Amino acid sequence: MTTNSDQDRSAPGRVPSPARPLALVTGVGRTVGIGAGIARRLAASGWDIAFTRWPPYDDRMAWGREPGAAEAIGRVLAEHGAATAAIEADLADPDAPAHVFDEAEQRLGGVTALVMCHCESVDSGLLDTTVESFDRHFAVNARATWLLVREFGRRFAAAAGTGRIIALTSDHTVGNLPYGASKGALDRITLAAAHELAPLGVTANVINPGPVDTGWMTEDVREHCVRGTPLGRLGTPQDTAHLVDFLCSREGGWINGQLLMSNGGLARNAV
């Protein structure tokens, strides 16, 4: 079994409220991450939050595992009145998406918004990417996205016009082949949902947040990206979270089937 619940110690006794819809946010493993920023913004806007994490992925990354991250994130969400559920899930496992939805529904109720921030991201290019790494990138970034969207569509039972699907993407490809290629597949899967799930009253959009430093950038990369951005700074998790918050709102319901650039005007040919 690659899905299990974390003990929710952040809000003992807290129960979901019918007045608060439920957002399922994937890839919320670290307090400084984009996923955590989105979860905080949605909680402040009146959503309950189920979120997934997979610490073994962080163990493989340079930044490592952040002890107590799930509890810290849960406490912040609870401060905004949200009922929460932290769910460990290895999204490389094709059975994990169904288990995630089962757990979220059992603990908090039906999911109204699916926000996908999870990823597999290991730098490698055309000549040095291994078959194992290529397959893992597509399993997590593309196949899991399809399976999560499929579960959402099969189970969605909220009022027509309230459903939301949002995925985070990237246009990085050079020296990052399996990540960029699998994110391209993620785009197509998510945008297909804008049409195929339209009878349910569900919108689906993709956001490219551009370079956001959540601990992975070197100083050279940081300076390189700042030079190519007209606004002269890097993006933040909050920048992405504000756009997700709008898309999940009633006012954002007319935005559908779009790949939205939220990158401060970054021009790759200028960096």
Side-chain angles (χ1 to χ4, degrees):
M1 176 66 67
T2 55
T3 306
N4 64 278
S5 303
D6 296 322
Q7 182 66 35
D8 188 357
R9 294 183 290 271
S10 60
R14 186 176 297 279
V15 296
S17 165
R20 296 180 70 100
L22 174 62
L24 170 58
V25 185
T26 64
V28 186
R30 299 185 300 138
T31 56
V32 297
I34 295 176
I38 289 171
R40 287 193 297 270
R41 181 64 256 164
L42 290 177
S45 291
W47 292 77
D48 287 337
I49 307 292
F51 62 93
T52 73
R53 54 196 290 269
W54 186 238
Y57 172 73
D58 293 315
D59 291 340
R60 292 192 283 114
M61 300 295 106
W63 52 77
R65 184 184 302 218
E66 181 183 351
E71 293 80 8
I73 292 167
R75 284 193 294 271
V76 171
L77 302 182
E79 289 171 1
H80 291 295
T84 67
I87 305 167
E88 286 195 4
D90 178 7
L91 292 175
D93 180 348
D95 293 327
H99 291 307
V100 167
F101 270 86
D102 286 344
E103 189 67 32
E105 289 175 350
Q106 290 166 12
R107 298 180 64 182
L108 298 177
V111 175
T112 300
L114 171 63
V115 183
M116 294 174 285
C117 308
H118 65 275
C119 77
E120 171 76 14
S121 179
V122 178
D123 291 348
S124 61
L126 284 165
L127 301 183
D128 60 341
T129 295
T130 67
V131 170
E132 186 273 338
S133 178
F134 189 90
D135 287 348
R136 186 190 305 118
H137 278 80
F138 271 82
V140 174
N141 297 342
R143 186 179 68 193
T145 296
W146 160 52
L147 292 173
L148 286 162
V149 168
R150 186 175 73 173
E151 288 300 320
F152 181 84
R154 285 175 170 176
R155 302 175 187 230
F156 182 75
T162 63
R164 301 287 187 268
I165 297 173
I166 299 167
L168 300 191
T169 193
S170 172
D171 56 5
H172 199 240
T173 53
V174 178
N176 210 357
L177 170 73
Y179 177 70
S182 57
K183 284 289 190 173
L186 170 148
D187 296 353
R188 301 306 187 270
I189 292 165
T190 306
L191 296 178
H195 299 274
E196 295 193 23
L197 301 186
L200 299 176
V202 171
T203 65
N205 294 285
V206 182
I207 296 173
N208 185 338
V212 177
D213 187 7
T214 57
W216 60 272
M217 286 187 180
T218 65
E219 190 59 36
D220 286 345
V221 169
R222 189 177 295 108
E223 293 177 1
H224 188 68
C225 293
V226 168
R227 285 198 304 269
T229 304
L231 294 177
R233 68 169 177 85
L234 297 171
T236 68
Q238 291 72 34
D239 292 324
T240 308
H242 288 310
L243 179 53
V244 171
D245 188 32
F246 172 71
L247 292 174
C248 286
S249 71
R250 182 178 61 184
E251 291 78 8
W254 189 235
I255 311 301
N256 191 30
Q258 302 300 309
L259 198 169
L260 303 167
M261 308 299 288
S262 178
N263 61 8
L266 175 72
R268 289 201 174 276
N269 60 2
V271 295

